[in-house]
Amino acid sequence: MSAPLTRTDHAAMRRVADICGDEADILALSVARFVAAGYMTSDVACWNAAFDGAEQLLGPTEGCRFVACVVAIIRALRAERDGDWSFMPASCCRVTGHECALVTLINQGRQRLWTDLEAAAAEITGREAAPRLVAAVRAAVGPLDAAAQRLAPASCPAGAVLH
């Protein structure tokens, strides 16, 4: 962990709304934060919160599939990256630089920019290549796109959020 943020540091951080293009991005970031918190604390309640929120928004089958895909991305990131990785708490409206990079990586997959995805995965991990991370993001594209359709503003009740 790094030193606590000052008020100035916090104000300079980007917001979730600035980097997430749709509700699926927001849900993926939230799930990633819960999963990361579970790894940091060894508390299964964090992972349960990820599943509960995704299931509430997407239903039990799609919610579980969505969380499994995000877990695979985080596991691949942990396996292929040697350095620290910083995440904010799930409810925070600010994002770290690492979270920005993760959302960008996921969006390159969703846009089927495979060459860009490979380059970004290598950069995030600090390696020449990150095949496990690339494979995890590629596998997540379908569930992420399905979630985006399901969570589109026309089909999402007003005020629905993942807690």
Side-chain angles (χ1 to χ4, degrees):
M1 283 313 270
S2 52
L5 295 176
T6 66
R7 219 172 254 229
T8 304
D9 294 335
H10 190 263
M13 294 176 73
R14 295 176 70 188
R15 294 180 173 271
V16 169
D18 297 335
I19 68 160
C20 292
D22 61 16
E23 296 297 318
D25 284 350
I26 293 169
L27 181 58
L29 179 58
S30 181
V31 168
R33 287 172 163 183
F34 279 120
V35 171
Y39 276 119
M40 287 176 53
T41 64
S42 298
D43 187 354
V44 73
C46 298
W47 285 45
N48 279 337
F51 278 102
D52 289 346
E55 289 170 358
Q56 181 182 13
L57 293 173
L58 302 174
T61 303
E62 293 304 315
C64 285
R65 185 174 293 127
F66 187 92
V67 172
C69 287
V70 177
V71 167
I73 292 169
I74 299 302
R75 284 177 46 84
L77 184 59
R78 287 173 47 90
E80 291 182 326
R81 182 181 167 86
D82 292 327
D84 288 339
W85 190 264
S86 60
F87 283 89
M88 297 301 284
S91 61
C92 187
C93 68
R94 302 289 183 173
V95 291
T96 69
H98 291 143
E99 290 173 324
C100 289
L102 178 63
V103 171
T104 298
L105 181 80
I106 289 170
N107 277 305
Q108 288 168 332
R110 290 183 65 196
Q111 294 173 39
R112 280 77 171 165
L113 301 172
W114 307 129
T115 303
D116 293 342
L117 171 64
E118 290 176 7
E123 184 176 335
I124 284 173
T125 60
R127 297 177 178 220
E128 284 188 36
R132 183 173 171 179
L133 183 55
V134 169
V137 172
R138 287 182 76 125
V141 168
L144 286 162
D145 287 346
Q149 275 191 308
R150 180 130 188 206
L151 298 173
S155 65
C156 191
V161 266
L162 176 66
H163 292 284

